[in-house]
């Protein structure tokens, strides 16, 4: 809380973070930097974008740092994989709309989402980078897993739990994620919570007894 805040000079999506240049600034001015937004987040002009561990009187440090944080009007898949995941969610949700009703496409989208999430859990985003000397630090702000799971599974659950095939695919997707080695207990609880919500919604929307039993046993 004692650190100095630097505010965003415009609104938009934080599409790119030049960590190497920011680390060089950490070493040059002997300070630590903590980013307050994750890559891909929407930032409003005037929001506290980052904090620095000490004031730098001889430079306008905001003008030095802000060029290495790209804030643009739109998100791009090339700079944040989260946006790519959201596109896959949109494909699955559209496939399950009454006018299309294409569970095969929804299942395929869920497979790709599962593969991306497996990679995310096996290689979690870095939270802290250090200078070569190890004396200064750049703290990054990863998207919390709870938020990522909410973005992915809530739309899928809302629009797809009336279909037993897609509901089972979502549950099996989460079961696969639970098998990741070295997963911490908090993340396991989040994944189990998603499974419970999918099961609860599916049991409410499915009227065939056999389908309900399949969901209960999944």
């Amino acid at each position: 809380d004692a650190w100095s805040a630097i505010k965003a000079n415009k609104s938009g999506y934080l599409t790119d973070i030049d960590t190497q240049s920011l680390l060089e600034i950490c070493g040059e001015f002997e300070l630590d930097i903590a980013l307050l937004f994750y890559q891909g987040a929407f930032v409003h002009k005037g929001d506290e974008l980052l904090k620095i561990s000490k004031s730098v009187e001889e430079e306008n440090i905001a003008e030095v740092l802000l060029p290495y944080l790209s804030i643009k009007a739109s998100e791009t898949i090339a700079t944040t994989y989260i946006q790519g995941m959201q596109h896959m969610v949109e494909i699955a949700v559209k496939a399950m709309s009454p006018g299309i009703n294409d569970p095969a496409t929804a299942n395929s989208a869920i497979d790709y989402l599962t593969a991306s999430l497996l990679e995310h859990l096996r290689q979690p985003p870095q939270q802290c980078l250090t200078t070569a000397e190890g004396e200064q630090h750049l703290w990054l702000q990863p998207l919390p897993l709870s938020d990522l799971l909410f973005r992915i599974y809530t739309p899928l659950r809302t629009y797809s739990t009336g279909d037993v095939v897609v509901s089972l695919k979502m549950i099996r997707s989460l079961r696969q994620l639970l098998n990741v080695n070295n997963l911490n207990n908090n993340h396991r609880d989040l994944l189990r919570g998603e499974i419970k919500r999918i099961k609860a919604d599916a049991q409410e929307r499915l009227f065939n007894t056999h389908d309900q039993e399949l969901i209960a046993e999944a």
Side-chain angles (χ1 to χ4, degrees):
D1 289 339
W3 289 21
S4 301
I6 294 177
K7 297 180 179 181
N9 56 4
K10 57 183 174 180
S11 298
Y13 292 95
L14 180 58
T15 60
D16 193 37
I17 301 168
D18 187 344
T19 56
Q20 185 58 44
S21 295
L22 291 174
L23 274 177
E24 290 173 3
I25 294 170
C26 288
E28 179 182 353
F29 293 100
E30 297 183 348
L31 53 79
D32 294 334
I33 299 173
L35 298 181
L36 304 181
F37 285 84
Y38 59 85
Q39 187 174 350
F42 190 88
V43 179
H44 294 278
K45 183 179 181 180
D47 283 346
E48 293 187 355
L49 183 57
L50 53 87
K51 286 190 173 184
I52 55 175
S53 59
K54 67 176 187 180
S55 59
V56 180
E57 296 179 359
E58 64 273 19
E59 293 275 357
N60 185 340
I61 196 65
E63 292 183 0
V64 174
L65 293 170
L66 290 177
Y68 300 111
L69 300 167
S70 296
I71 298 177
K72 298 182 179 179
S74 61
E75 299 173 278
T76 61
I77 296 176
T79 55
T80 169
Y81 65 93
I82 296 168
Q83 179 66 6
M85 287 188 184
Q86 289 184 187
H87 280 320
M88 294 304 298
V89 171
E90 290 167 7
I91 290 170
V93 168
K94 185 175 181 180
M96 292 307 297
S97 64
I100 298 177
N101 193 23
D102 181 8
T105 295
N107 282 345
S108 179
I110 293 170
D111 283 335
Y112 281 105
L113 284 166
T114 306
S116 297
L117 284 167
L118 283 169
E119 188 68 19
H120 176 83
L121 291 174
R122 288 168 180 158
Q123 298 183 4
Q126 290 179 298
Q127 293 185 327
C128 181
L129 304 175
T130 60
T131 55
E133 298 77 15
E135 296 179 356
Q136 276 75 46
H137 305 82
L138 171 62
W139 296 93
L140 303 175
Q141 190 72 246
L143 176 66
L145 181 63
S146 57
D147 289 3
L148 183 57
L149 294 177
F150 179 84
R151 289 184 181 205
I152 292 173
Y153 287 97
T154 299
L156 293 174
R157 175 167 52 83
T158 300
Y159 294 99
S160 303
T161 44
D163 186 292
V164 65
V165 175
V166 180
S167 296
L168 287 171
K169 173 65 79 171
M170 285 190 286
I171 293 170
R172 289 164 183 164
S173 163
L174 289 158
R175 295 284 185 206
Q176 281 184 275
L177 300 179
L178 279 168
N179 290 328
V180 172
N181 292 331
N182 302 319
L183 202 62
N184 67 51
N185 290 333
N186 178 54
H187 288 175
R188 290 187 185 280
D189 289 343
L190 290 171
L191 294 169
R192 292 188 182 110
E194 290 295 336
I195 292 173
K196 288 180 181 178
R197 284 186 282 275
I198 291 168
K199 285 189 171 187
D201 282 7
Q203 292 286 8
E204 184 176 329
R205 296 176 182 179
L206 296 171
F207 301 104
N208 183 282
T209 302
H210 177 66
D211 291 347
Q212 292 175 344
E213 290 173 354
L214 288 174
I215 294 296
E217 295 169 359

